[in-house]
Amino acid sequence: MAPRPAWKGYLKLSLVTCAIELTNVITHAEKVSFRILNRKTGNTVRRIYVDAETGKPLEEGDEIKGYEVSDGEFVHVEEDEIEAVEIESSHTMNLDGFVEKSSIEQIYLDTPYYVSPADEVSQEAFAVIRDAMAAKKMAGLARIVLYQRERPVAIEPLGKGMVLTTLRYDDTVRQPETVFDDIEATKTDDEMIDLAKHIIDQKKTKFDASRFDDRYEDALLELIRAKKAGKKAPKAKAPAKPSNVVNLFDALKKSLNAEGGGKAGKSSSKARPARAKAKATSHNRHGSRKSA
């Protein structure tokens, strides 16, 4: 069964227009999901709105959205009033600018959608726009009203179709300098950088998403199977704690040897000045890092 489109509308490049539809890239259909049950009866439960002051449940239709303008003071907004808020060209995406995809900072990329022609009549115009962007190696910038919100987007070719990525607004993104400014400037040792580069070379590979298993999802399924069979929940194995980093240069050499690049490590160590060997990294700064 084909996935249901998340949006239908038109893609426009100057006077060229084609009907398109967006399909969610991400699917949660196969993910483990839980229902809330009554522990005593085993029945499913439902949520109801309760008045925060009186404690009484609301009757159907009594709830209304409110925007707090001051402490305890709300402006009431009806659903039909929200739906009536329309933005110009809500069903048309105008490609009004083109950039190199690499110029869009990663922190602004949000949610991806597949873009495909909505009908046979639109296929030729769709292919022309797609192939032109592919030839120029450019991504198009546009705006779309999606789920009642206008969002900036970037559109780029992907195989026989295209992919659209919604972008975050600048005022919603915390800029890196607000976090990184507190990092002290550190003069790194060239030979240690060389060792780290050799390790990177040894670990060089090609990205393959199928290699990444959702271990948390697998653990949940294992738990469910055990519970269904009447067995005890499996105990998680405690991860091995990383060893303390006492000498960064030695740690890099050992890492390189472990990756099969011992020769590069030996040649670097011969020329290493004595002052660099004395450099150490304390356990408090690098040896203990809490996992998220």
Side-chain angles (χ1 to χ4, degrees):
M1 184 176 178
R4 184 179 177 181
W7 184 90
K8 286 186 175 184
Y10 298 90
L11 181 65
K12 187 176 181 181
L13 173 63
S14 190
L15 300 178
V16 180
T17 304
C18 61
I20 60 168
E21 55 188 31
L22 306 185
T23 305
N24 288 293
V25 169
I26 302 167
T27 175
H28 299 286
E30 301 301 321
K31 293 294 181 182
V32 172
S33 61
F34 294 99
R35 298 283 298 276
I36 303 300
L37 309 177
N38 183 329
R39 184 185 294 273
K40 295 179 179 179
T41 66
N43 298 330
T44 58
V45 300
R46 58 187 176 88
R47 293 176 178 172
I48 57 175
Y49 288 108
V50 176
D51 190 294
E53 296 296 327
T54 67
K56 295 181 179 180
L58 270 65
E59 297 292 335
E60 185 177 353
D62 283 350
E63 69 271 10
I64 186 173
K65 284 185 168 65
Y67 180 83
E68 191 167 14
V69 292
S70 61
D71 189 22
E73 183 183 353
F74 295 87
V75 172
H76 292 191
V77 183
E78 299 285 353
E79 289 290 346
D80 58 353
E81 292 176 320
I82 295 175
E83 292 175 2
V85 176
E86 294 185 0
I87 299 174
E88 187 180 357
S89 301
S90 61
H91 288 283
T92 300
M93 287 190 294
N94 286 292
L95 292 169
D96 50 16
F98 294 89
V99 298
E100 293 182 2
K101 178 65 183 302
S102 59
S103 70
I104 304 175
E105 294 181 63
Q106 192 174 11
I107 57 177
Y108 290 101
L109 300 177
D110 195 0
T111 306
Y113 294 85
Y114 292 126
V115 185
S116 53
D119 49 51
E120 289 187 13
V121 176
S122 299
Q123 288 186 7
E124 184 178 13
F126 178 89
V128 167
I129 296 172
R130 177 200 63 204
D131 293 349
M133 284 197 292
K136 299 298 292 184
K137 297 181 179 179
M138 289 285 185
L141 299 178
R143 291 175 179 268
I144 181 177
V145 176
L146 196 60
Y147 306 120
Q148 297 183 327
R149 291 271 186 172
E150 186 181 54
R151 304 162 194 270
V153 299
I155 307 170
E156 58 185 315
L158 181 67
K160 294 191 293 183
M162 290 190 269
V163 64
L164 173 150
T165 305
T166 59
L167 304 175
R168 301 182 178 101
Y169 285 104
D170 187 57
D171 59 3
T172 67
V173 173
R174 183 178 290 114
Q175 294 302 312
E177 57 268 18
T178 63
V179 177
F180 297 155
D181 274 358
D182 291 337
I183 300 177
E184 297 180 4
T186 305
K187 186 177 181 180
T188 53
D189 183 89
D190 290 342
E191 290 187 65
M192 287 197 287
I193 296 296
D194 286 340
L195 282 172
K197 286 161 62 177
H198 283 304
I199 295 170
I200 292 171
D201 285 337
Q202 293 296 324
K203 286 180 169 286
K204 190 181 296 182
T205 184
K206 291 184 178 180
F207 177 75
D208 180 4
S210 65
R211 293 174 56 191
F212 298 97
D213 297 324
D214 189 339
R215 294 185 293 177
Y216 180 72
E217 186 83 1
D218 293 341
L220 283 178
L221 290 171
E222 187 180 354
L223 167 63
I224 292 168
R225 284 192 290 265
K227 298 281 284 185
K228 185 178 179 181
K231 299 178 181 179
K232 291 184 178 180
K235 291 184 178 180
K237 296 179 181 178
K241 293 183 179 180
S243 57
N244 295 347
V245 178
V246 178
N247 186 297
L248 183 56
F249 185 78
D250 288 343
L252 285 166
K253 286 199 297 181
K254 289 178 181 178
S255 298
L256 185 61
N257 289 333
E259 297 300 326
K263 290 183 179 180
K266 291 178 182 178
S267 62
S268 295
S269 62
K270 289 180 181 179
R272 176 172 172 72
R275 60 173 178 80
K277 290 184 180 180
K279 290 184 179 179
T281 305
S282 68
H283 169 66
N284 290 335
R285 292 182 61 185
H286 297 286
S288 58
R289 180 176 296 175
K290 293 182 180 179
S291 58

